[in-house]
Amino acid sequence: MNQDLSQYAAVIEQLKPMVKEPEFNQVLQQIASHIPKEKRFLIKMEVKRLARPCLRAIDLRGQVDGQCKLYEFDSIKHYLDDVAIEVFEQQVRIFGLYCFGVYEAVMATENNFRVIREKAEARNEKEQDVAEKPKNSLSQFDVINIGLLDYAKRNEERMNFAVALEIFTETNNSLRATSVDISSNGLKIKLSKEQLFKPGEKIGVYFRGLETEYSLDKKQAIKYQVVSITRRPDHQFLQMKRLADAPNPSFDQFIDKFIHGNKRRYKVNMDNTVDAIINKSCEQYFSPSCPTLPVFIDVNDGRALPRFAMANELNRHILSYWNDEEDELRLGYLLNQERIQYLMESKDEIPTLFIYCFNHIQNGRVYFYSASHIDLARHERLHNLFMGFGARKVSWRVFKISLSGMSPKQAYAPLSLPDDVGTKVKRQNALPAPRLMAKLKNLAHIVQVSDITSDAEQLLFSQIKIDRSELKALKLFGHARNRPPFPVKAFRYKFHEQRLETRYLLRTTVNVHARGQTINGVSEDISINGLRIEIEGEYHGDINMRVVLAFPKLQELTNKFDVSNLQYRVVHVSGDKNILHLRTIAGEEGLSARTFFAELIKSNKSSLKTYPDEEEIPGIGHALRCINAKNPATLAFVLTKTGGRYHPQVGVLGDISPRLRNLCGHFAEQNKLNLEVFFRDRHLDAPFIQQAIKQVKTEHQPVIRELFVAFKPAEKDPRAAIDARYEHRFSSHDAQKQFISDTLKEGQFIAMSVSVTTTGKPDLEMLQSEINYIGVYAIHRAKELEERLWSIGACVHAVDITDQVLLRFGFDLKVIEENYQTPSQHAIEPNGIKALLKSG
């Protein structure tokens, strides 16, 4: 129906049965007399349109939440479910024939997935509008704070089932209750809130609602034990498990048969599986876009050594920085024994060091230099020399390294489904292999390495005057090449492989001709339709730009093909701008490149190696990824686009920064984060996060800014309690320092490095077992979940850099220490239970 006529839907419904009657115009005049004449004409035309005969066959298979069957009417074969058949026959009785009105009514039944989705979207938009009406409302920025890969795994299926119960407490009190869901060894019940229970309490249950229909023992109670209690204002829920020391074989046999025979009728309870899918999908978005590099520390015989690192596209540049001229990873220079020992022995809640680095190239060799803020405080005489000289170099970097605990047991991340769902599920739920766990058994810590280099800070330090005659003294901070560090094995974050064809390793010289210039490089891998090359220097062209490639070494080997003028397009550029991903030009122009490489691969398939599997022990990459996900290094949140703007949906914040936890929890409900601090500039021109997402889409690079926050929790007004400004909103370096000084007088200063990036496609392969399980019982919920996964468009990560910023602006260690203390908070005054929770 035309949207302009939707307000007259009731009038149209009244006119439908009269459309073929002679009195139609008279009836229209009577019931629509209050409607303007031009609108009455449109209503008449709409009813006439609906009454036109229709010859379309309707096939609702896979489009509705119901079982479709063949339904024939006037020689037209339809596939409809029971709901659609009822609507079809009702509308035919109204119109007197199969017409467009019948067709459209059948296509809009309540159980149609499209209708369900549209209603949900309309409801969400309405809620969003309501949330955005009060300009100062904070609730629209509240998101749930989840623990990645932290969800319930069930040992058996639960069936939603409501039946009357009589329960007896340990003191023999009789109470009425109702079951909510049931499994072979568990039960969830709902009852009044008057009786108080405690976890571990034993309860006897009689299934009174089943006794009339089934031959149950009316005298013997089924023994349960309370596992958890959820209280609501008017009632409470008890989660219980069967008592192992009170077996009842006849009831066991009955309940197993009852659940097996009725689970499709009453529906399996899938709440934990839905939660698991949402949780695991968030992990897919957070982990590949996290800019922090996790390094796993092995502790053996009292010696702590960096053993493994987990790389993704956003943190790979940190590894690349520590590669020497022979491409050997020297990350151990950064994480040397002394620094790891300092972190392990530190009494700070989150042990942290800030490391200032640069390198020097001489005779083709790379020499690394680094000093922590502790080292520079210990050698105060060399502080300005190191900073002033290092910041003048292109290789200047500042890293934050912080240490957190971990356990090898965190490598286990089973499905949320019980083993008996199927053999595939049972296999996926299996514990990690003993060989793998033996490799992980000594891992005890994770050091998170964050690149927090600031261009503004580098410019500031580079202006420090130095005496070049003293530069030899910096040898103290140099890393000896004749004492290489302990080797660190790097693993790729293995996201679902989305390439359409196999890549083959081939290193050969290549010349790239772009915009009248020639860039020399080396190919890394090839395929028929694309290749990846490493170039000398940086690529300053655009994404999607056309380039011409020449392969001089390959040309020497073939007379059959001309490989000096192959047409490609740039589709991706690495963070360091020296790795190009290229795809052949479509159509005739790219045919010569595709033909040549197809022939090359076909002729040399036996000698060409495919892209290597980096895992010497199967599953180690996935295991490290699971461990890292359960120990988040940043505050992170994902965003979806609604109403032209991106809004936060789900957040992750562990124990890595108490300051950020206090800040984002101040105006939030329990178990939630309030992220308004990141959107404080939303009413200004070009708000940072919205603009950054647009920039990432154009440039295919993450956008990073520093955010300065004045946190004064004693203030009741949110605007006064939290004053947040991105670095580009300050007019000068002095303005930033003044902001910090003013904040420290009456509040807490917090600084964050905020990284914004877009997200890739969801990896449905990892979620398929659970999505399929939900699809068996509620296909519309499975489709809704898939749509939710695809709706995520961007991700934000924030790293606490407060201490390093204070060091940058010359504040001493005493001030930094005092800034850890959160100022006293005002008494928040929400109503009811929230007031009690907040005041506690």
Side-chain angles (χ1 to χ4, degrees):
M1 183 185 299
N2 188 312
Q3 196 164 356
D4 293 338
L5 296 177
S6 59
Q7 59 183 310
Y8 305 116
V11 174
I12 291 171
E13 284 298 319
Q14 289 179 269
L15 291 171
K16 281 180 181 180
M18 303 299 299
V19 66
K20 298 295 184 183
E21 301 299 328
E23 301 87 357
F24 176 73
N25 289 330
Q26 183 180 348
V27 174
L28 172 63
Q29 183 65 35
Q30 288 175 353
I31 67 175
S33 58
H34 62 290
I35 299 173
K37 187 175 181 180
E38 61 273 13
K39 292 289 185 184
R40 283 205 302 271
F41 175 75
L42 293 176
I43 290 171
K44 178 180 178 181
M45 292 299 99
E46 174 65 8
V47 177
K48 294 281 189 182
R49 182 190 71 80
L50 293 173
R52 279 167 34 208
C54 180
L55 299 176
R56 296 180 183 175
I58 306 174
D59 187 350
L60 296 180
R61 288 176 293 187
Q63 298 183 45
V64 294
D65 184 15
Q67 191 68 36
C68 293
K69 56 189 175 185
L70 180 63
Y71 178 85
E72 190 168 343
F73 184 86
D74 279 352
S75 302
I76 301 176
K77 295 180 179 180
H78 309 281
Y79 285 93
L80 311 177
D81 69 321
D82 291 339
V83 175
I85 291 172
E86 183 179 342
V87 171
F88 187 103
E89 293 175 347
Q90 177 196 46
Q91 293 295 313
V92 166
R93 287 194 296 270
I94 290 172
F95 285 103
L97 76 164
Y98 175 45
C99 57
F100 281 95
V102 178
Y103 173 83
E104 291 177 10
V106 171
M107 295 298 290
T109 54
E110 290 294 317
N111 66 335
N112 189 290
F113 297 141
R114 175 183 52 80
V115 175
I116 293 170
R117 185 184 69 252
E118 288 173 354
K119 286 187 174 182
E121 289 174 351
R123 188 164 58 248
N124 290 339
E125 287 177 8
K126 186 176 180 181
E127 290 172 357
Q128 189 67 44
D129 290 342
V130 171
E132 288 185 351
K133 277 182 181 177
K135 286 190 176 181
N136 293 325
S137 171
L138 298 179
S139 60
Q140 61 178 305
F141 298 102
D142 268 5
V143 300
I144 189 168
N145 181 23
I146 66 170
L148 293 180
L149 302 186
D150 181 15
Y151 47 82
K153 178 191 180 298
R154 291 198 172 146
N155 295 321
E156 53 191 11
E157 290 183 298
R158 288 191 207 171
M159 182 180 74
N160 291 322
F161 185 63
V163 66
L165 308 172
E166 182 180 7
I167 68 170
F168 283 86
T169 67
E170 289 181 336
T171 56
N172 214 32
N173 285 343
S174 172
L175 301 169
R176 293 180 180 274
T178 306
S179 65
V180 176
D181 59 51
I182 188 170
S183 67
S184 298
N185 290 286
L187 180 67
K188 185 177 182 180
I189 66 173
K190 176 183 176 182
L191 69 165
S192 65
K193 63 176 182 178
E194 282 73 24
Q195 178 73 35
L196 293 178
F197 294 88
K198 61 182 183 294
E201 188 171 343
K202 296 177 181 178
I203 290 176
V205 178
Y206 293 90
F207 290 79
R208 299 304 188 196
L210 294 177
E211 289 174 351
T212 55
E213 194 173 345
Y214 300 94
S215 55
L216 297 178
D217 190 339
K218 298 180 182 180
K219 296 181 179 180
Q220 185 178 2
I222 310 302
K223 299 293 184 180
Y224 286 88
Q225 186 175 32
V226 177
V227 175
S228 64
I229 304 160
T230 305
R231 292 184 174 87
R232 296 285 184 264
D234 301 321
H235 51 267
Q236 60 183 323
F237 294 96
L238 302 187
Q239 192 72 52
M240 306 186 296
K241 66 177 181 180
R242 289 277 300 279
L243 272 177
D245 57 2
N248 191 320
S250 61
F251 182 77
D252 293 343
Q253 190 176 14
F254 162 76
I255 201 67
D256 286 342
K257 287 183 178 179
F258 183 76
I259 292 173
H260 184 73
N262 291 281
K263 65 182 181 181
R264 286 186 179 273
R265 176 184 174 190
Y266 294 111
K267 302 287 185 181
V268 169
N269 184 298
M270 298 174 293
D271 292 345
N272 73 309
T273 303
V274 171
D275 290 343
I277 291 173
I278 294 171
N279 188 300
K280 291 163 78 172
S281 64
C282 286
E283 187 274 331
Q284 288 185 15
Y285 292 123
F286 290 132
S287 294
S289 63
C290 183
T292 294
L293 176 76
V295 182
F296 299 83
I297 306 301
D298 185 297
V299 179
N300 194 11
D301 293 332
R303 192 180 181 207
L305 296 169
R307 177 74 68 175
F308 307 117
M310 198 73 193
N312 62 31
E313 287 302 317
L314 276 295
N315 66 28
R316 187 178 292 278
H317 69 282
I318 298 175
L319 288 173
S320 300
Y321 181 83
W322 292 98
N323 280 347
D324 65 13
E325 72 282 354
E326 295 179 351
D327 214 26
E328 292 290 334
L329 180 60
R330 303 302 188 190
L331 188 64
Y333 285 147
L334 174 70
L335 303 177
N336 59 34
Q337 186 69 37
E338 182 184 356
R339 288 170 185 162
I340 295 175
Q341 204 65 38
Y342 171 86
L343 293 173
M344 291 174 59
E345 293 174 358
S346 172
K347 295 180 181 179
D348 295 338
E349 186 172 354
I350 306 297
T352 300
L353 281 173
F354 298 101
I355 315 294
Y356 302 90
C357 310
F358 64 88
N359 59 52
H360 177 65
I361 300 176
Q362 185 175 350
N363 299 326
R365 293 183 172 187
V366 181
Y367 294 84
F368 294 96
Y369 292 77
S370 70
S372 71
H373 70 283
I374 302 294
D375 296 330
L376 294 172
R378 191 182 300 133
H379 300 89
E380 192 172 348
R381 182 179 62 85
L382 299 177
H383 179 279
N384 283 354
L385 180 65
F386 183 93
M387 292 295 200
F389 178 72
R392 285 172 166 81
K393 299 183 73 67
V394 175
S395 59
W396 175 258
R397 296 290 186 278
V398 182
F399 295 105
K400 173 187 176 181
I401 62 172
S402 54
L403 182 132
S404 61
M406 57 143 285
S407 167
K409 293 180 181 179
Q410 293 176 320
Y412 182 48
L415 300 178
S416 60
L417 308 175
D419 291 352
D420 56 13
V421 167
T423 53
K424 183 179 179 182
V425 168
K426 186 175 182 179
R427 187 171 64 251
Q428 289 176 289
N429 282 339
L431 290 165
R435 183 184 171 209
L436 170 60
M437 293 308 294
K439 201 75 173 175
L440 305 177
K441 69 178 182 179
N442 292 325
L443 298 184
H445 304 282
I446 303 177
V447 171
Q448 303 285 358
V449 183
S450 305
D451 184 350
I452 58 171
T453 310
S454 162
D455 291 341
E457 180 185 63
Q458 184 175 1
L459 177 62
L460 178 70
F461 289 161
S462 68
Q463 295 170 356
I464 297 173
K465 293 181 179 180
I466 61 173
D467 184 351
R468 289 188 170 269
S469 66
E470 296 182 354
L471 289 179
K472 287 185 179 180
L474 295 183
K475 189 176 181 180
L476 176 68
F477 304 111
H479 299 285
R481 286 180 55 90
N482 60 356
R483 293 198 302 272
F486 188 83
V488 177
K489 176 70 175 176
F491 292 91
R492 279 189 308 134
Y493 173 85
K494 288 201 169 183
F495 198 58
H496 178 55
E497 182 60 77
Q498 294 174 355
R499 288 180 177 265
L500 300 177
E501 56 189 6
T502 304
R503 292 180 290 167
Y504 297 90
L505 295 180
L506 179 65
R507 290 187 66 82
T508 185
T509 55
V510 56
N511 299 324
V512 183
H513 303 284
R515 291 181 175 171
Q517 292 184 324
T518 299
I519 308 170
N520 297 325
V522 178
S523 65
E524 290 193 347
D525 56 56
I526 63 167
S527 65
I528 294 173
N529 285 279
L531 73 156
R532 182 171 61 169
I533 62 174
E534 180 180 359
I535 61 173
E536 296 176 3
E538 294 185 355
Y539 173 74
H540 297 290
D542 301 322
I543 298 293
N544 212 35
M545 192 173 82
R546 293 176 65 134
V547 295
V548 177
L549 302 190
F551 294 86
K553 291 287 181 68
L554 294 181
Q555 188 66 75
E556 294 173 6
L557 303 176
T558 178
N559 295 320
K560 184 177 178 182
F561 298 95
D562 178 8
V563 293
S564 61
N565 190 35
L566 302 183
Q567 305 291 316
Y568 281 84
R569 192 180 299 281
V570 179
V571 294
H572 181 71
V573 182
S574 69
D576 292 336
K577 297 187 177 181
N578 65 334
I579 305 293
L580 306 184
H581 296 250
L582 307 171
R583 184 180 298 137
T584 58
I585 298 293
E588 187 70 26
E589 291 179 286
L591 182 60
S592 57
R594 291 191 294 273
T595 305
F596 168 71
F597 280 109
E599 179 71 22
L600 177 71
I601 292 169
K602 182 180 178 182
S603 303
N604 299 276
K605 210 160 192 177
S606 59
S607 57
L608 284 172
K609 293 181 179 179
T610 57
Y611 206 82
D613 182 358
E614 297 171 290
E615 297 192 348
E616 57 189 36
I617 297 177
I620 191 168
H622 179 75
L624 294 175
R625 165 184 159 188
C626 292
I627 294 171
N628 185 51
K630 294 174 183 179
N631 298 279
T634 63
L635 161 61
F637 55 94
V638 291
L639 305 99
T640 58
K641 191 175 184 180
T642 53
R645 290 208 167 189
Y646 286 87
H647 295 269
Q649 296 298 313
V650 179
V652 172
L653 176 59
D655 299 325
I656 199 71
S657 176
R659 273 190 291 238
L660 299 190
R661 197 165 60 238
N662 292 336
L663 176 66
C664 295
H666 184 62
F667 287 112
E669 298 179 9
Q670 280 197 325
N671 301 319
K672 287 191 174 184
L673 302 171
N674 188 279
L675 303 174
E676 194 265 349
V677 63
F678 296 95
F679 299 86
R680 180 58 62 87
D681 64 346
R682 61 190 179 277
H683 300 305
L684 302 176
D685 291 337
F688 168 65
I689 287 182
Q690 311 298 335
Q691 290 299 114
I693 294 171
K694 292 179 182 178
Q695 186 177 335
V696 174
K697 288 183 175 180
T698 303
E699 300 179 2
H700 303 279
Q701 298 293 329
V703 177
I704 302 171
R705 290 283 187 280
E706 290 182 352
L707 177 64
F708 289 5
V709 182
F711 183 33
K712 304 172 185 177
E715 300 285 350
K716 293 184 180 182
D717 181 1
R719 287 272 166 184
I722 299 175
D723 183 4
R725 306 181 196 180
Y726 286 99
E727 60 177 294
H728 60 283
R729 298 290 181 186
F730 290 94
S731 58
S732 66
H733 167 80
D734 290 337
Q736 292 178 341
K737 186 170 184 178
Q738 189 62 51
F739 177 85
I740 298 171
S741 298
D742 293 344
T743 301
L744 292 174
K745 291 175 184 176
E746 51 189 81
Q748 184 180 37
F749 172 69
I750 299 172
M752 292 176 268
S753 176
V754 181
S755 172
V756 181
T757 186
T758 53
T759 55
K761 299 176 182 179
D763 185 0
L764 297 181
E765 185 177 301
M766 288 185 62
L767 309 171
Q768 205 60 60
S769 293
E770 283 148 319
I771 290 176
N772 290 346
Y773 180 76
I774 290 176
V776 169
Y777 300 103
I779 191 170
H780 67 284
R781 291 192 75 179
K783 289 183 177 292
E784 285 174 6
L785 281 168
E786 286 197 34
E787 288 173 6
R788 177 171 179 170
L789 301 187
W790 284 94
S791 72
I792 302 297
C795 187
V796 174
H797 288 265
V799 177
D800 185 345
I801 58 170
T802 306
D803 295 353
Q804 197 274 328
V805 170
L806 290 174
L807 288 170
R808 175 195 310 172
F809 285 96
F811 292 94
D812 59 33
L813 294 178
K814 183 182 178 182
V815 172
I816 293 173
E817 185 67 30
E818 290 173 350
N819 189 54
Y820 273 94
Q821 304 302 316
T822 305
S824 58
Q825 303 191 17
H826 75 270
I828 299 173
E829 300 172 355
N831 296 322
I833 187 67
K834 289 183 182 178
L836 296 174
L837 293 171
K838 291 285 186 180
S839 63

